[in-house]
């Protein structure tokens, strides 16, 4: 395969945080801002906030820009990512305005992740609530991402209407999240970053290598590839399982189908969660081809943000794991 250039490797790890409903929203948001502050202190370069509507899959953050603006007021250097804004539910002009205001408030630290909304029924309520036919998601997304790219590229909504505040360099910080090979190609051709995910309506076989290859085959400029790795570090595999057990007790609604130890093991496998000591997890991640293609590693700790040992896991990732697991240039 021939590519236009080799990916630039980022030096700082990233953190991906899923805000999970169950506790009062204000408490969840405070915990997550505290995590952003701690992640910055630990040297993380970017923190991405998972965004879904109407508690889809127990998510707790339907509107990401006010939250990013709030997090920006408590941090100074860490970049702040939207993970991700579902474009089928957004008007591109209105989205561009929200994004540029948030970017201005953060001092130019916004990383703008966009996508289509999860498949497999996870976004069914969102499509219904916004009156958008799920069958038209691909065409609608393609139209709106193109409009957003154009607006942020020259700062104009029309020949006579100028976007305010000016977008600055925000156009160069768009990332497209997808499990669709064609979308990955278009993201590369547009010069956007790629957040590949294995599971979608378009692609259900569980791999990201084909997505990365498609992106690189069409990539213009310097590739940006974010690989999400889900880790539950402890003193041992047994300790990691104890972390999961505590999370189940704190939020049983998030785990309706885990009555037995065997079900827990299957849950970890199905969700590609690496458990064990730092050494054990690093060894497994080094064998992951998807990680080898990344220019940026997004570490995800699959615990509620209020879990009593979330901070301990974050510390292990930031001080023990990330420094020894730098992303490597893609093939």
């Amino acid at each position: 395969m021939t590519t236009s250039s080799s990916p630039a490797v980022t030096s700082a790890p990233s953190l991906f945080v899923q805000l999970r409903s169950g506790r009062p929203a204000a408490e969840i948001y405070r915990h997550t801002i505290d995590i952003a502050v701690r992640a910055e202190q630990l040297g993380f370069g970017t923190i991405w906030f998972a965004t879904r509507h109407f508690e889809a899959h127990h998510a707790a953050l339907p509107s990401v820009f006010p939250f990013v603006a709030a997090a920006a007021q408590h941090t100074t250097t860490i970049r702040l990512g939207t993970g991700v804004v579902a474009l089928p539910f957004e008007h591109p002009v209105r989205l561009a305005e929200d994004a540029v205001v948030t970017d201005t408030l953060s001092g130019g630290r916004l990383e703008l992740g966009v996508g289509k909304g999860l498949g497999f029924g996870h976004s069914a309520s969102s499509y219904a609530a916004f009156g958008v036919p799920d069958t038209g998601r691909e065409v609608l997304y393609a139209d709106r991402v193109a409009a957003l790219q154009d607006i942020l590229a020259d700062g104009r909504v029309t020949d006579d209407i100028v976007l305010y505040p000016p977008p600055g360099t925000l156009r160069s910080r768009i990332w497209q999240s997808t499990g669709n090979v064609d979308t990955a190609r278009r993201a590369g051709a547009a010069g956007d970053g790629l957040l590949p995910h294995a599971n979608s309506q378009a692609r259900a076989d569980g791999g990201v290598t084909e997505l990365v290859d498609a992106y690189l085959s069409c990539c213009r400029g310097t590739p940006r590839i974010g690989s999400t790795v889900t880790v539950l570090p402890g003193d041992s595999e047994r300790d990691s399982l104890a972390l999961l057990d505590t999370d189940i007790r704190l939020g049983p609604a998030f785990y309706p189908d885990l009555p037995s130890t065997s079900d827990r093991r299957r849950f970890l496998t199905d969700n590609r969660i690496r458990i064990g000591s730092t050494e054990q997890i690093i060894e497994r991640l080094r064998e992951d081809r998807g990680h080898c293609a990344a220019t940026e590693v997004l570490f995800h700790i699959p615990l509620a943000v209020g879990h009593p040992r979330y901070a301990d896991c974050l510390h292990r990732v930031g001080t023990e794991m990330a420094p020894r697991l730098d992303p490597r240039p893609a093939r």
Side-chain angles (χ1 to χ4, degrees):
M1 180 187 64
T2 301
T3 62
S4 57
S5 59
S6 297
V9 181
T10 58
S11 58
S14 296
L15 181 67
F16 180 81
V17 180
Q18 182 179 5
L19 287 70
R20 190 190 307 168
S21 62
R23 292 181 176 272
E27 180 180 334
I28 296 168
Y29 298 158
R30 283 196 300 270
H31 274 306
T32 308
I33 288 175
D34 289 344
I35 288 168
V37 172
R38 183 59 180 147
E40 181 174 86
Q41 294 169 346
L42 287 169
F44 284 86
T46 308
I47 182 168
W48 295 83
F49 303 108
T51 303
R52 296 175 192 164
H53 295 279
F54 309 113
E55 291 188 279
H57 199 53
H58 300 276
L61 186 61
S63 182
V64 69
F65 292 114
F67 183 82
V68 168
Q73 306 314 300
H74 294 267
T75 56
T76 57
T77 60
I78 194 168
R79 307 194 68 77
L80 306 163
T82 61
V84 296
V85 179
L87 285 186
F89 314 139
E90 304 284 344
H91 191 289
V93 176
R94 192 71 197 86
L95 172 59
E97 288 188 318
D98 284 343
V100 296
V101 169
T102 304
D103 192 44
T104 300
L105 286 169
S106 70
R109 289 186 283 142
L110 180 66
E111 298 290 327
L112 183 55
V114 298
K116 302 168 190 172
L118 292 176
F120 297 124
H122 289 307
S123 294
S125 60
S126 301
Y127 275 89
F130 285 103
V132 178
D134 185 56
T135 54
R137 69 204 309 263
E138 296 292 338
V139 172
L140 189 57
Y141 174 80
D143 288 346
R144 292 190 175 178
V145 76
L148 179 66
Q149 290 163 342
D150 288 344
I151 293 168
L152 295 182
D154 61 12
R156 290 187 173 275
V157 178
T158 68
D159 290 341
D160 301 321
I161 301 175
V162 177
L163 186 67
Y164 182 84
T169 63
L170 186 56
R171 170 65 188 88
S172 67
R173 288 177 269 135
I174 295 177
W175 297 72
Q176 295 194 47
S177 174
T178 187
N180 183 297
V181 171
D182 290 335
T183 304
R185 290 193 186 99
R186 290 194 296 270
D192 294 340
L194 177 70
L195 298 172
H197 59 81
N199 297 320
S200 74
Q201 284 178 304
R203 179 175 179 73
D205 61 5
V208 299
T209 302
E210 188 179 355
L211 295 167
V212 172
D213 287 347
Y215 171 81
L216 289 172
S217 71
C218 298
C219 191
R220 291 172 47 209
T222 302
R224 291 175 289 135
I225 304 168
S227 172
T228 301
V229 296
T230 305
V231 297
L232 199 53
D235 295 329
S236 62
E237 288 193 1
R238 183 175 182 179
D239 189 38
S240 293
L241 289 172
L243 290 171
L244 178 62
D245 286 339
T246 301
D247 206 49
I248 293 170
R249 289 195 299 272
L250 291 172
F254 190 72
Y255 301 95
D257 302 317
L258 295 180
S260 68
T261 300
S262 62
D263 291 321
R264 287 164 170 76
R265 287 285 184 178
R266 187 171 62 251
F267 173 82
L268 293 169
T269 300
D270 290 347
N271 290 278
R272 301 177 180 83
I273 301 173
R274 284 80 166 186
I275 66 171
S277 66
T278 299
E279 294 290 341
Q280 290 173 311
I281 293 174
I282 287 176
E283 182 178 352
R284 289 161 188 160
L285 288 175
R286 282 176 174 161
E287 298 171 354
D288 187 333
R289 290 184 64 201
H291 162 69
C292 291
T295 64
E296 183 169 333
V297 177
L298 284 62
F299 288 96
H300 173 221
I301 299 168
L303 300 174
V305 293
H307 190 287
R309 287 185 60 189
Y310 189 103
D312 174 63
C313 290
L314 180 61
H315 183 81
R316 289 176 189 261
V317 171
T319 63
E320 300 174 10
M321 191 176 301
R324 297 173 54 195
L325 195 69
D326 290 334
R328 285 162 281 182
R331 303 171 304 283

